[in-house]
């Protein structure tokens, strides 16, 4: 797992993407994208948590290991966190996790941290579009099918 | 319906904006039935139109929408939309109101708010919500997040084609509805009708409505919003081009006698700064210029914001000017702005000109006032007086928000809570009389049972079923582990389906329920109640969103959308199987409040608590009550404040429910909401008491200047000292007086504005002029901040000959004693660009208001924060101005920020209203979704204590001597951050447990066979610490 694996681009590759959304802002933004009928790729599945500060880096690692090609962590804009500073903590953890992913050859480009407000359905839809394209270009995760039941 | 005195435990709130919602929520939480009526089809008011709020740039909708949902869903709140008051009769405590309800032609019970009808409606009309920059349909929802989420047919524009009726699967359209008259019995009324925006077309010299690129500030706000006409982009209406230069003209419809609005609208300065910054963020390379007379940055952190706008964001400010006119270059549609600077006429060219429109009184308010029998002031706003700022002229009817004077969101919210407190005090005996808690059957304990999951998949009419293959999803669900029942429903949220869910739970012995439908944000509570009715713990429920986040966003790919639906259901079922019963902690409430500080705010709070039937323990550090008010003698209109203070102190001392401690300080505070243990040292004697809530009203003090020869020359004094002199001597022997503003305020050391000193200076100047019109008065100021109706006193002072001289920060006046022993003041008049030399008999300094000296120690004791200036910092600067983030502790008055007498009274009442929502209950139900410590795993490192923003974890000693973390259930908010940071994974979360989340992740990517999640939890450590 430590050797860098160059992803092979596959024909018709449809990436699997998991998006963590916080209950108060980004999940509401995702709902608003729906209310506004903004269309975006099917590849993303949302997992709701109360706060982006609830997202354990291990959740992200586990998703990648199990076959996620990309993982998004989204929360309230800095300063807007319902729990004051959960998103700040999410950011610190994200930075550490990014380094780790680079070190072990998976690549931090497969994960992304974004702030999406409850009134920004457009940003949510655009992010889904853009991130799906980005992951499609990266190709399948080098970890795909390699899960062993623990990191 | 009522208590023994015939009082009715219900309140009508007129207006569903932010103030109306706050008042309604406070009342409803305290046990009153609330009717919110609004002429609009939805609540939300003016705030719902905002993109961001100053000075924190909070997204307005992000902070508003939880309030919308809370108001809409509160079991004690009844919304009466598209309604107005027709008549009122009765007396305080017992009114009958006739309400005229307009027909919305859509059945509120049946409409699900899906909005399908709007897609096919053929009629497009001007969208008022977007200021006409966008179109809407004749059947419409005012804005996407509107509450109630019920559509309305605008019959003025509807052509009656009936297409909407054919689209509505719920059968909610009803063209035969008619206006109806409803009678409602209530005890008090709160008026919160807000304001209406000034029509900028009336200032014809600015070309609004004539030149395409002249916008109102509200139009710009809609443009800046992501849900606005151009998705947050600012574009020139004339050619759709991005602007390069934008100018804001201030005071359009404010401080303007010619248009009949002599008052200041109080918010437009900050509003313009905010828009000028945000517009720059949205538009690369944009220059923004603000043209203004005085920058009225008088609120919390406003001056700091103003400085940042200029220094960091490079907003250009042009002072001392009222723009005289705007003209257009017809070829480019660019605008020329004409103004004078230092007496010279200048012209500048801009792509867009924004008019900062002021506040008018609310539309049609004269009719409302007549029906209610309340007095309006000369500007059409509600008449109030300084001692009772929340009372209208008619007993039993109260007021809050912009209707009593133009004001911003936090001041409106604070007043709203205050008005709720006043409204409650008339009907204190009827509290709880009209609200009944719903009874549920006893809960079946399912612990130890094998999971038996039932799955209900919703068609939502054709909202989901039109895209996803819903029946196949239900069939698929049956194949999942632990699922014993699955079915599809036309509307899972409808009354009959919920009945059915309840029956299926009983018949099949389900112990977990999954609903696949719309968003859990709005619908979780509905289904949780269904579970409760079926005897299940409400947390055995999981919801997955296959509408807003699936069918609606993948309309063109039904097959893969259905596949995604399968995944989402699989994830929900996986989590559901691991759900556990949760019960919120219950805390018993001690029915008594501690009030810290015996000034105006503290005494007002104590009295209001007593009126509501609760004990108050009032702690004052001095030997007598009164605080800073002891040094203020008269109000702006000559009100006798010392007489008032004497009566107030007597009232407090005579009140059996109020326990006064003088020469007192707090020694120790422990415990949490509902039961704080407080040790008070008074006159050298210690008392330990238990208190349910704490109100911080520590007040402030006047700055002792080190500038301008203060303390060195007896002719130099502060405004308070000067006021005392005027009040005691009743006359003044002088030919000339100079007043200097901002002494100790708005400096590098103390960058905030003390808010009251401009007006206090004007007040004392008027007092002198009254005593002897011949005395010359020079008032040296930087920005004159006589906001709201105080502006008129400023004008009066100018008319009576007070000379106002503006100086810039860098050209502070020089004061010295000349060789003949006279005081000499030299100042550069910024407007005339001339140096003035004055020899006054007295020099009066408008000294800053400082936070109380003990704030720092108190902040440590209560574990609540201070801002950088030493004032207490509230939970949220916009929407929770009177709360601390720590539950059960509130603040009011100068502890929060320097402010006026009437603002202190409003805030003190408001803090009491906030406190009553806790005190009125016997027990307090905490959050159910909270952190739980596994003491066997905890190694007592304390990382959780440092992580938590709410003070929930603390370290405790076990009997075996080990130190472990303990979570105060009453304080935990359930964010889960501590659980992530916990080194040993000893902290887990209810409902969002590590195992539960991992099970969702695992079922999201099913192609890999893996062992169960729980076993791996211990290994997390290695990853998080890397």
């Amino acid at each position: 797992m430590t050797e860098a694996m160059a992803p092979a681009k596959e024909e018709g590759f449809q990436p699997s993407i998991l998006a963590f959304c916080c209950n108060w802002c980004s999940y509401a933004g995702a709902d608003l994208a729906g209310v506004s009928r903004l269309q975006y790729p099917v590849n993303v599945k949302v997992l709701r948590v109360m706060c982006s500060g609830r997202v354990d880096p291990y959740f992200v690692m586990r998703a990648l290991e199990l076959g996620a090609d990309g993982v998004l962590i989204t929360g309230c804009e800095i300063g807007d966190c319902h729990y004051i500073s959960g998103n700040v903590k999410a950011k610190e953890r994200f930075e550490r996790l990014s380094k780790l992913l680079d070190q072990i050859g998976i690549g931090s480009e497969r994960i992304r941290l974004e702030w999406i407000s409850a009134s920004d359905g457009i940003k949510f839809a655009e992010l889904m579009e853009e991130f799906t394209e980005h992951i499609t270009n990266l190709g399948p995760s080098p970890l795909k099918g390699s899960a062993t039941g623990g990191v | 319906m009522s208590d023994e005195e015939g009082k009715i435990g219900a309140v009508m709130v007129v207006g569903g904006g932010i103030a109306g919602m706050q008042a309604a929520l406070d009342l409803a939480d305290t046990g009153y039935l609330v009717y919110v009526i609004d002429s609009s089809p939805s609540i939300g008011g003016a705030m719902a139109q905002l993109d961001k709020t100053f000075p924190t740039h909070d997204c307005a909708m992000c902070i508003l929408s939880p309030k919308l949902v809370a108001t809409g869903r509160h079991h004690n709140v009844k919304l009466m939309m598209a309604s107005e008051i027709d008549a009122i009769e009765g007396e305080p405590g017992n009114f009958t109101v006739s309400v005229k309800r307009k027909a919305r032609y859509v059945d509120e019970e049946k409409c699900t708010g899906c909005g399908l009808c709007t897609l096919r409606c053929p009629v497009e009309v001007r969208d008022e919500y977007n200021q006409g920059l966008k179109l809407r349909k004749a059947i419409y929802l005012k804005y996407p997040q509107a509450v109630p989420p019920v559509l309305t047919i605008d019959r003025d524009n509807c052509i009656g084609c009936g297409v909407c009726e054919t689209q509505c699967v719920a059968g909610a359209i009803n063209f035969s509805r008619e206006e109806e008259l409803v009678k409602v019995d209530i005890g008090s009324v709160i008026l919160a009708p807000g304001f209406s925006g000034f029509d900028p077309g009336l200032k014809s010299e600015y070309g609004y409505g004539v030149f395409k690129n002249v916008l109102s500030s509200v139009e710009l706000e809609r443009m800046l919003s992501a849900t606005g006409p151009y998705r947050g982009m600012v574009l020139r209406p004339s050619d759709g081009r991005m602007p390069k230069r934008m100018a804001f003209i201030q005071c359009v419809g404010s401080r303007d006698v010619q248009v009949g609005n002599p008052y200041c609208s109080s918010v437009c300065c900050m509003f313009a700064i905010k828009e000028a910054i945000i517009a720059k963020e949205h538009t690369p390379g944009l220059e923004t210029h603000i043209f203004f007379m005085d920058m009225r940055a008088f609120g919390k952190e406003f001056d700091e914001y103003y400085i940042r706008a200029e220094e960091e964001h490079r907003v250009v400010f042009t002072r001392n000017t009222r723009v005289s006119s705007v003209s257009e270059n017809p070829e480019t549609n660019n605008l020329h702005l004409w103004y004078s600077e230092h007496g010279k006429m200048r012209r500048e060219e801009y792509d867009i000109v924004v008019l900062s429109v002021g506040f008018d009184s609310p539309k049609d308010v004269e009719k409302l006032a007549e029906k209610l029998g309340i007095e309006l002031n000369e500007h059409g706003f509600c008449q109030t007086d300084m001692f009772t700022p929340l009372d209208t002229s008619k007993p039993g009817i109260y007021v809050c928000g912009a209707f009593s004077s133009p004001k911003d969101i936090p001041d409106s919210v604070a007043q709203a809570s205050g008005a709720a407190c006043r409204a409650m005090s008339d009907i204190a005996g009827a509290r709880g009389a009209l609200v009944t808690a719903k009874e549920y059957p006893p809960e079946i304990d399912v612990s130890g049972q094998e999971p038996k999951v039932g799955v209900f998949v919703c068609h939502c009419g054709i909202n989901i079923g039109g895209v996803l293959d819903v029946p196949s999803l239900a069939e698929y669900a049956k194949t999942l582990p632990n699922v014993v029942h699955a079915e599809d429903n036309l509307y899972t949220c409808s009354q009959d389906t919920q009945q059915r869910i309840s029956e299926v739970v009983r018949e099949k012995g389900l112990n977990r329920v999954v609903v696949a439908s719309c968003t859990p944000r709005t619908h979780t509570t509905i289904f949780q109640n269904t579970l409760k009715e079926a005897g299940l713990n409400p947390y055995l429920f999981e919801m997955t969103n296959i509408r807003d986040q699936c069918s609606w966003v993948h309309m063109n790919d039904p097959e893969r959308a259905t596949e995604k639906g399968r995944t989402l259901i699989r994830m929900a079922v996986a989590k559901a199987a691991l759900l556990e019963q949760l019960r919120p902690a219950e805390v018993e409430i001690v029915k008594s409040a501690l009030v810290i500080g015996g000034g105006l705010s503290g005494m007002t709070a104590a009295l209001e608590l007593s009126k509501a039937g609760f004990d108050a323990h009032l702690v004052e550090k001095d030997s007598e009550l009164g605080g800073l008010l002891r040094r203020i003698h008269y109000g702006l209109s000559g009100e006798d404040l010392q007489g008032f203070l004497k009566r107030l102190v007597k009232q407090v001392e005579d009140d059996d429910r109020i326990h006064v401690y003088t020469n007192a300080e707090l020694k120790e505070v422990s415990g949490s909401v509902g039961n704080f243990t407080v040790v008070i040292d008074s006159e050298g004697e210690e008392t330990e008491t238990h208190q349910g809530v704490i109100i911080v009203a520590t007040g402030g003090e006047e700055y002792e200047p080190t500038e301008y020869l203060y303390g060195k020359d007896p002719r130099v004094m502060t405004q308070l000292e000067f006021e005392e002199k005027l009040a005691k001597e009743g006359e003044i022997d002088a030919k000339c007086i100079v007043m200097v503003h901002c002494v100790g305020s708005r400096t590098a050391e103390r960058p905030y504005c003390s808010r009251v000193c401009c007006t206090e200076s004007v007040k004392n100047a008027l007092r002198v002029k009254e005593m002897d019109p011949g005395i010359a008065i020079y008032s040296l100021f930087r920005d004159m901040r006589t906001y709201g109706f105080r502006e008129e006193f400023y004008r009066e002072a100018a008319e009576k000959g007070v000379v106002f001289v503006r100086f810039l920060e860098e050209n502070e006046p020089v004061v010295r004693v000349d060789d003949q022993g006279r005081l000499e003041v030299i100042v550069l008049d910024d407007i005339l660009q001339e140096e003035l030399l004055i020899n006054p008999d007295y020099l009066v300094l408008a000294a800053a208001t400082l936070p109380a000296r003990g704030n720092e120690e108190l902040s440590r004791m209560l574990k609540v924060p201070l801002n950088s200036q030493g004032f207490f910092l509230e939970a949220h600067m916009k929407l929770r101005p009177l709360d601390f983030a720590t539950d059960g502790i509130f603040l009011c008055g100068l502890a929060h920020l320097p402010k006026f007498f009437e603002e202190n009274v409003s805030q003190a009442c408001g803090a009491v209203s906030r406190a009553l929502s806790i005190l009125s209950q016997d027990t307090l139900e905490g959050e159910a979704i909270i952190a739980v410590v596994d003491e066997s795993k905890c190694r007592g490192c304390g990382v959780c204590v440092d992580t938590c923003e709410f003070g929930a974890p603390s370290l405790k000693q076990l009997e075996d001597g080990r130190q472990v973390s303990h979570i105060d259930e009453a304080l935990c908010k359930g964010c889960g951050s501590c659980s992530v940071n916990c080194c040993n994974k000893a902290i887990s979360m209810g409902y969002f447990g590590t195992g539960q989340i991992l099970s969702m992740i695992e079922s999201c990517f099913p192609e890999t066979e893996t062992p169960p999640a729980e076993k791996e939890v211990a290994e997390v450590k290695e990853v998080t610490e890397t």
Side-chain angles (χ1 to χ4, degrees), chain B residues 172-224:
Chain B
I173 311 285
N174 184 346
F175 281 100
S176 62
R177 278 288 170 98
E178 278 173 27
E179 183 175 284
E180 49 180 354
L181 209 57
V182 192
K183 280 203 190 304
V184 184
D185 292 325
I186 48 152
S188 324
V189 180
I190 292 177
L191 302 179
F195 63 96
S196 60
F198 175 76
D199 172 8
L202 295 175
K203 291 289 286 178
S204 55
E205 60 269 39
Y206 295 151
Y208 179 83
V210 180
F211 308 141
K212 284 182 181 158
N213 296 328
V214 176
L215 301 174
S216 80
S217 48
V218 188
E219 286 167 343
L220 177 61
E221 191 74 17
R222 288 313 305 150
M223 274 197 198
L224 293 171

Side-chain angles (χ1 to χ4, degrees), chain A residues 31 39-40 44 80 85 93, chain B residues 58 519 552 555 949 981:
Chain A
D31 282 348
Q39 304 297 299
Y40 57 80
V44 186
D80 285 359
S85 67
R93 292 174 191 138
Chain B
D58 273 309
T519 174
W552 276 353
M555 292 167 116
E949 291 277 6
N981 274 11

Side-chain angles (χ1 to χ4, degrees), chain B residues 707-717 721 815-818 821-824 840-843 845:
Chain B
E707 306 84 337
Y708 305 122
L709 302 179
Y710 180 83
K712 297 189 182 92
D713 190 304
R715 292 166 294 182
V716 181
M717 55 187 83
E721 289 161 349
V815 175
R816 57 182 176 227
V817 178
D818 70 8
R822 294 179 305 183
L823 278 174
E824 182 175 276
D841 300 303
Y842 292 102
L843 178 66
L845 309 179

